[in-house]
Amino acid sequence: MAQTLVKKDDDRDDEMDYSPFMGIEKGAVLQEARVFNDPQLDARRCSQVITKLLYLLNQGETFTKVEATEVFFAVTKLFQSKDIGLRRMVYLIIKELSPSADEVIIVTSSLMKDMNSRTDMYRANAIRVLCRITDGTLLTQIERYLKQAIVDKNPVVASAALVSGIHLLQTNPEIVKRWSNEVQEAVQSRAALVQFHALALLHQIRQNDRLAVNKLVTSLTRGTVRSPLAQCLLIRYTSQVIRESGVNQVGDRPFYDYLEGCLRHKAEMVILEAARAITELSGVTSRELTPAITVLQLFLSSSKPVLRFAAVRTLNKVAMTHPMAVTNCNIDMESLISDQNRSIATLAITTLLKTGNESSIDRLMKQITNFMSDIADEFKIVVVEAIRSLCLKFPLKYRSLMNFLSNILREEGGFEYKKAIVDSIVILISEIPDAKESGLLHLCEFIEDCEFTYLSTQILHFLGNEGPKTSDPSKYIRYIYNRVILENATVRASAVSTLAKFGAIVDSLKPRIFVLLKRCLFDNDDEVRDRATLYLNTIGGDGAVVETEEEVKEFLFGPLGIPIVNLETSLKNYAPSEEPFDINSVPREVKSQPTAEKKAQGKKPTGLAAPPAGPTSTIDAYEKLLSSIPQFSSYGKLFKSSPPVELTEAETEYAVNVVKHIFDSHVVFQYNCKNTIPEQLLENVTVIVDASEAEEFSEVASKPLKSLPYDTPGQTFVAFEKPEGVPAVGKFSNTLRFIVKEVDPSTGEAEEDGVEDEYQLEDLDVVAADYILKVGVSNFRNAWESLGPDSERVDEYGLGPRESLAEAVNAVINLLGMQPCEGTEAVPSNSRSHACLLSGVYIGNIKVLVRLAFGIDGQKEVAMKLAVRSEDASVSDAIHEIVASG
C-alpha cells in the first residue's frame, strides 16, 4: 500500500505538510503501470502504482480511451496474484475505470470466480465491482448469486449485496424489486450493518407505496430492530409516516410512543435522532417536547464534543418556534459560551439570544464581546442576525444592542460580515423610532473608514431618506460632505444625491447645501458634476426641471416606478433622433422568465408564445402585432400581456396556447396554434369562445387564420369588450374549429376538398391578477409614506389550514399578481409569522402598495392582516375585494 498521505518533516522547523503524490504526472504514472506486465509481480509496487492512478482519477485527471484501455487490460493480469491487499486495489481501480461493455467481458469470468470464492473478502468486493460495471443483461445472469449473497451468513458479503442493490435500484429497479423476500429476511439479521442496509433497501423498494411503508414501519416499531444505525433509519421513516398522516394531536398521532421510547435507548445516536424527530413534528405541543428537551439538556454537559454540538444545534432550531420550551436549558448553554469548539459556542450564544429575557441581555452582551474576536466571519454573521432579532423583540434595550453592533462594525471583518451589521442597524432604525438618531450617527462614523464602496453608497442612500426627518439634520452634513472630498467617484456621486435630499426637505439647510453643491461643479468626474448641476436646478433653479416643492420631493424621493432592467433595455434599443426618449414607453411590468421557458429555448416557437428574450422585446412584439390588425388598432395602449397559457396537452395533434392582452376596455385573446400532423393542412382556423360564464364580457371582433400548414406557427384572435377600467373576471370555454385537408406526402400538395372539424381545448380564466402589473419600488417605506394614509384600507382575513406559512404567502402573491419587494417573498423555515411587501400598478396606471402580515398557529390555521395604499381609494377597496373573493 502507499505510504501515509500526510506526515511531518522532522528536519524542518516549520513542519510543512508533505504529500507522497506531490508533483506526480499522468505520463510518468502510465509508464510505471508497465510493472503490471512483469512476469514476477511485485505486489507492493503494483499497489503503489494503482494508488497513484486512483489519486489522478479522483483529482479529475482524464484518461483517453486508449490510455484507459491499456491500463484496464494491464490490471486484469493482476488477478494472477494471490496477494489480498493487491486484489483489493484491483477491485477499486476496475470500478473507477468504468470499462466499456466489450471490455467488461474480459473481467467478468474472474469476478464471477471471486464471487463464488471461499475467501469472503473476495466475494464481497467482487459483488460490488460486478454490480457497478455490468448492465441489465449480465445482471440477470448473476441475480441468483446476488439473492444468495443477501442472506449469506457472513455480514460483509450480505452488506455488499445490499449496498449494491441500493445502487442498482436507480438503473435496474425491476430486477431489484424481485429481491424483496431476501431483503425482508436480511432485516431480521443480528449483524448491525446488514440490518441497516437491508432496511434502507427495503424502504427504497417500497417508497412509492405509502401503505406498504406504513405497514413496514408498523411491523418494525414493535421491537425487531436491534442495530442502532437501523434504529436511526426507522425513526426517520416513522417521522415521514407521521408527517404524511397529517395528524397533529398527540392522542391521535401514530407512533409518538415509539419515538418517546427511543429517548431511553442505550445508544446515544438513537436518542439524538428520536429527540430531533420529536422537535420537528408538525404542530408539536409543549407536552410532547418536554421529554426530548430533557435528554438534549443532559447532552449539553457531555464530555463528547459531537454530542454537545448535536444537542445545542437541535435546541437552536427548537428556539425558533418554541423559545419558552428551551429556557430551562439556558444555564447549561451559558457554560458552553466558553467551549473550545467555536461552532458549539456560536450555537449556544444564538440560542440564548433567542430564548433570553430582557434582564439577561446585558450579561449576554458582556460574554459575547469577549467571544466575537475568536470566531470566523460566518459565525459572526449568525450572532449579528440573532442580536437583531433580540433587539426587535425587546426594543427598550436598543441602546446596549446598538452600541454593541456599532463597536463590532469598527473592528476587522469581511464584506458579508460588515453588510450583515449595516443591514441590522438599518432594520433597527426602521422598526424602532427611538433608535433612529443614534443609529444614523453610528453609520456616519462607520463610513468615515469604510473600505467597501457598495456599503458606503447604501448608507448614504439610507441617510438621505432618513436623516432629513431627524430633530437635528445639520449634524450629518459634515459626514456626507467628507465623502465628496475624500472618496472615489461612485461614493462622491452618491454623497451629492444625499446632500440634495437634505436641501429639498430642510429649508434651513438649503443655502448651505447650495454652496456645497456648487463646489461639486468643479469635480473631475462627469457623474458628480452632472448630478450637482441637476440638483442645483432642482432645489434652487429656475423651474426647468420641476416647478413646485412637492414635485421636488417627488423627483428626489419618489419611486422610479419602472424596473431598472426594463429602463436599461429601452435605452439600449433607443435610436438617437430628433424625438427625445419617452420614459412612458418603458414597460412597467417585471418579467421573469419561467423555468419551462428557459428549458424550451432551443425549440421552435409557436407564434409569439416564445418571443425574443427581454421584457421590452416581448411587449414591443405584442404591441406591434396588435396595432397592425385593423380590428384592434383603436383599443388604445396595451396595458399588459400575460405569459402563454397552454390549452392542449403535450404531444397532441394540435398545439394551442393563448396570450391574454389587457386593454382599458377590451381583452384580446391571441391563440397561438401549431399543426403537428404532416399529412394535414388546416384552413380557416378559428376558436369558438363560449363566454356564458363571463357575464361582463361581450365578443366584438375576431380574426381567423387562413392556413395552418404542418409545423408552421400561426395565430387567430378573438376580442371581447368589458366595462372600462373594471377588472372583470370570468371563465371562457374554447373550441378550435377548422377545415382539414389531406396532404399527399410525395408531392406536398393538399386536396381541394376538405372536411370541417373541431377540437376541444381547455377552459381559460381571466382573473384579477391579469389587471395588475408587477412593478417594483426601490424604497418601499418611502413609497408607502408618499401615498399617505387617506387611501389606506386595512382588514383581517382567515386563510384556513395550510401546509406551511410559505404556501399561504405564495398563494396570496399569486392571487394578487403583484411584485414582492425587498426579498419579503422568502419565508424562513419554521417561521410562525411573516411580513410581506408587494407593489404594482393597477389597470388605469394607478400605483398600489400592499403590506401583508401572516401568522400560523399549532393547527396550521393561517390568519392574515392586509393593508393597502394606492393613488385611488377605490383601488384599495378593489384589492380587498380580490382577496375576500379569492
Side-chain angles (χ1 to χ4, degrees), residues 137-386:
T137 307
L138 183 59
L139 195 60
T140 55
Q141 299 176 24
I142 62 172
E143 183 180 5
R144 178 169 60 87
Y145 299 107
L146 294 175
K147 283 185 176 183
Q148 291 173 355
I150 289 172
V151 293
D152 196 276
K153 292 179 181 179
N154 187 296
V156 177
V157 175
S159 276
L162 290 165
V163 171
S164 298
I166 292 172
H167 292 304
L168 289 170
L169 199 61
Q170 310 303 318
T171 54
N172 296 277
E174 298 81 10
I175 294 176
V176 179
K177 286 177 182 178
R178 297 201 292 259
W179 306 350
S180 292
N181 292 336
E182 288 76 13
V183 177
Q184 184 80 52
E185 186 177 339
V187 170
Q188 310 303 322
S189 171
R190 291 182 176 275
L193 272 180
V194 174
Q195 193 172 50
F196 169 64
H197 291 139
L199 179 56
L201 179 54
L202 191 60
H203 179 265
Q204 285 200 26
I205 290 172
R206 300 183 179 181
Q207 63 183 349
N208 295 322
D209 186 345
R210 185 182 294 185
L211 183 60
V213 172
N214 205 317
K215 286 181 178 178
L216 174 66
V217 170
T218 302
S219 64
L220 294 178
T221 50
R222 292 171 184 162
T224 57
V225 177
R226 301 178 188 86
S227 162
L229 286 168
Q231 194 89 344
C232 290
L233 266 188
L234 183 56
I235 290 170
R236 294 184 183 184
Y237 300 152
T238 304
S239 300
Q240 179 187 346
V241 171
I242 294 174
R243 281 196 304 271
E244 291 176 351
S245 67
V247 182
N248 292 330
Q249 297 301 319
V250 62
D252 299 323
R253 198 194 295 275
F255 308 115
Y256 175 78
D257 291 340
Y258 166 73
L259 294 179
E260 191 177 11
C262 289
L263 295 174
R264 297 181 289 275
H265 198 278
K266 60 182 179 180
E268 292 161 341
M269 70 169 76
V270 176
I271 298 171
L272 278 170
E273 191 68 40
R276 188 178 65 85
I278 290 174
T279 59
E280 292 177 354
L281 288 176
S282 175
V284 64
T285 64
S286 298
R287 190 170 74 82
E288 290 175 306
L289 275 176
T290 302
I293 299 294
T294 302
V295 297
L296 291 171
Q297 186 176 3
L298 293 173
F299 283 142
L300 290 176
S301 54
S302 170
S303 59
K304 300 177 181 177
V306 67
L307 292 180
R308 298 199 302 275
F309 175 78
V312 74
R313 185 174 66 168
T314 305
L315 289 170
N316 186 275
K317 290 181 180 178
V318 176
M320 294 179 185
T321 51
H322 297 83
M324 295 306 296
V326 185
T327 51
N328 292 335
C329 306
N330 282 5
I331 296 175
D332 299 276
M333 277 189 286
E334 283 192 34
S335 65
L336 293 180
I337 294 178
S338 56
D339 196 291
Q340 291 182 346
N341 186 306
R342 297 289 83 185
S343 299
I344 294 174
T346 305
L347 286 167
I349 283 179
T350 53
T351 308
L352 286 167
L353 291 172
K354 292 170 187 173
T355 60
N357 51 41
E358 202 162 358
S359 61
S360 66
I361 289 178
D362 293 329
R363 186 177 75 254
L364 278 174
M365 287 299 104
K366 290 178 182 177
Q367 291 176 292
I368 294 173
T369 302
N370 300 326
F371 163 80
M372 290 293 280
S373 59
D374 298 333
I375 60 174
D377 279 5
E378 57 184 313
F379 296 127
K380 290 179 182 177
I381 292 171
V382 175
V383 175
V384 168
E385 290 172 348

